[in-house]
Amino acid sequence: MSLPSNIFRAVYQESEIERYKGNPFIEALPRVSKIEELKTKLEGKVKYNPAAGYLDARQRAHELCGLLDDFFQPLSVHVALEEKIALMIRGGYVARNIATGQLQQHLQNGYERLMTGDISSFCFAEAPSTARCLSLIGCSGCGKSSSVLRILATYPQAIYHEKYNTYQLAYLRIECPVDGSLKSLCLNFFKEVDKHLNTDLTERYGYKRHSTEVLLSFMGQVANQYAIGVLVIDEIQRLGRKQKEGQERMLEFFCGFGEYYWRAGDFSWYS
């Protein structure tokens, strides 16, 4: 079976960490990087051409702009952030092991929510959650987005597990809608999944006359169906532009679906 260029075929490496062993979703990810390896993965080196110093002034401006885009120096804060992301992605998969049937329990719970219309409903009370959440807050332009995207780029985003005939999204990044509405958030979510897995979720769910509660249930079910390791929500401060009731509903959704997601301040993440 041939796969699109953006989807990797799963290659498993036995984990050195006991709680991760035997979990295909974790063992298909890169091994936990040591600090020196992480530095090599994250750093962006400047490629300077001495001949560019003799170019026309306007051309030199373009060369300088490129130098700023390419440079990235990993600092201790980046190492700490990468460690948190690594813990969240892998930790969130501990209770969603497809090899032991735990993922199927989450999927059955999601199906129950779809059938009943109650996002708190479940079939298997024993289905555990090992999800975590995190907030990343900082001034605009301080490098939150570039740091996070560079860290996430050290992971293959879309993985196909041939043995289990299933897809895994190690991470997914979406933007909080400008209007702060839950329905728009769901649409953004479906569009991003469609983009990376060539699915038709937006057409199937987003453009139908479903209530917000039903869309949220679809969103949670899709998050489990495609084994999303971490959901990154950017620009979460936009929640403040919506009326208070809308803020509370969205935040309640984030907390209530802890088994699916991860959160942050200007940035939001869910595992």
Side-chain angles (χ1 to χ4, degrees):
M1 173 183 172
S2 60
L3 296 172
S5 59
N6 67 308
I7 300 178
F8 297 84
R9 197 177 300 273
V11 177
Y12 305 107
Q13 305 177 77
E14 184 177 357
S15 176
E16 299 172 350
I17 302 171
E18 188 62 34
R19 72 194 295 253
Y20 296 162
K21 287 183 178 180
N23 192 318
F25 291 145
I26 298 176
E27 294 186 338
L29 299 174
R31 291 185 183 276
V32 177
S33 300
K34 296 181 180 179
I35 291 182
E36 287 303 316
E37 295 172 338
L38 179 61
K39 178 185 175 184
T40 302
K41 289 180 180 179
L42 294 182
E43 68 180 356
K45 296 182 178 179
V46 172
K47 298 178 181 178
Y48 174 64
N49 179 11
Y54 299 96
L55 295 175
D56 175 82
R58 290 175 59 82
Q59 293 175 318
R60 291 201 306 274
H62 288 267
E63 290 284 349
L64 288 171
C65 184
L67 295 179
L68 294 175
D69 291 338
D70 296 336
F71 178 74
F72 187 87
Q73 176 61 51
L75 305 174
S76 59
V77 292
H78 300 118
V79 174
L81 179 59
E82 190 279 337
E83 185 174 50
K84 289 180 174 64
I85 293 175
L87 287 168
M88 295 186 72
I89 292 178
R90 291 168 177 81
Y93 283 132
V94 168
R96 290 188 290 164
N97 190 339
I98 193 172
T100 62
Q102 289 175 312
L103 177 67
Q104 287 76 5
Q105 290 183 8
H106 285 288
L107 289 172
Q108 285 297 322
N109 282 344
Y111 179 73
E112 179 71 12
R113 294 183 184 109
L114 291 176
M115 296 303 295
T116 63
D118 181 4
I119 63 174
S120 62
S121 180
F122 56 84
C123 288
F124 295 95
E126 68 271 21
S129 172
T130 54
R132 299 290 183 271
C133 68
L134 171 71
S135 294
L136 179 61
I137 303 173
C139 299
S140 179
C142 70
K144 299 184 302 297
S145 297
S146 59
S147 298
V148 169
L149 293 177
R150 191 170 284 267
I151 290 170
L152 292 177
T154 63
Y155 292 87
Q157 181 169 17
I159 304 171
Y160 176 64
H161 296 262
E162 189 168 14
K163 179 179 179 180
Y164 303 98
N165 190 29
T166 191
Y167 291 90
Q168 170 188 2
L169 283 172
Y171 63 89
L172 189 71
R173 175 187 172 275
I174 63 176
E175 284 201 9
C176 187
V178 176
D179 61 2
S181 74
L182 284 172
K183 189 165 187 177
S184 298
L185 178 73
C186 293
L187 288 175
N188 290 351
F189 175 85
F190 295 139
K191 288 175 183 177
E192 283 299 308
V193 176
D194 287 344
K195 183 172 75 173
H196 296 294
L197 294 180
N198 300 315
T199 51
D200 61 346
L201 300 175
T202 305
E203 184 69 29
R204 200 187 325 166
Y205 303 138
Y207 295 145
K208 302 293 178 65
R209 293 185 177 180
H210 294 303
S211 67
T212 302
E213 286 70 22
V214 171
L215 286 176
L216 292 176
S217 296
F218 280 134
M219 184 175 171
Q221 186 73 340
V222 168
N224 269 331
Q225 180 181 352
Y226 295 116
I228 296 178
V230 62
L231 176 63
V232 181
I233 305 178
D234 199 357
E235 304 293 350
I236 200 167
Q237 76 278 1
R238 291 174 180 171
L239 282 176
R241 300 179 187 176
K242 188 71 174 174
Q243 58 182 343
K244 185 176 180 181
E245 181 183 354
Q247 297 177 41
E248 292 176 350
R249 288 185 67 201
M250 186 174 284
L251 290 173
E252 182 181 354
F253 165 68
F254 290 155
C255 296
F257 274 73
E259 66 184 88
Y260 304 118
Y261 308 109
W262 176 47
R263 179 180 88 149
D266 283 350
F267 245 97
S268 278
W269 329 54
Y270 290 77
S271 156

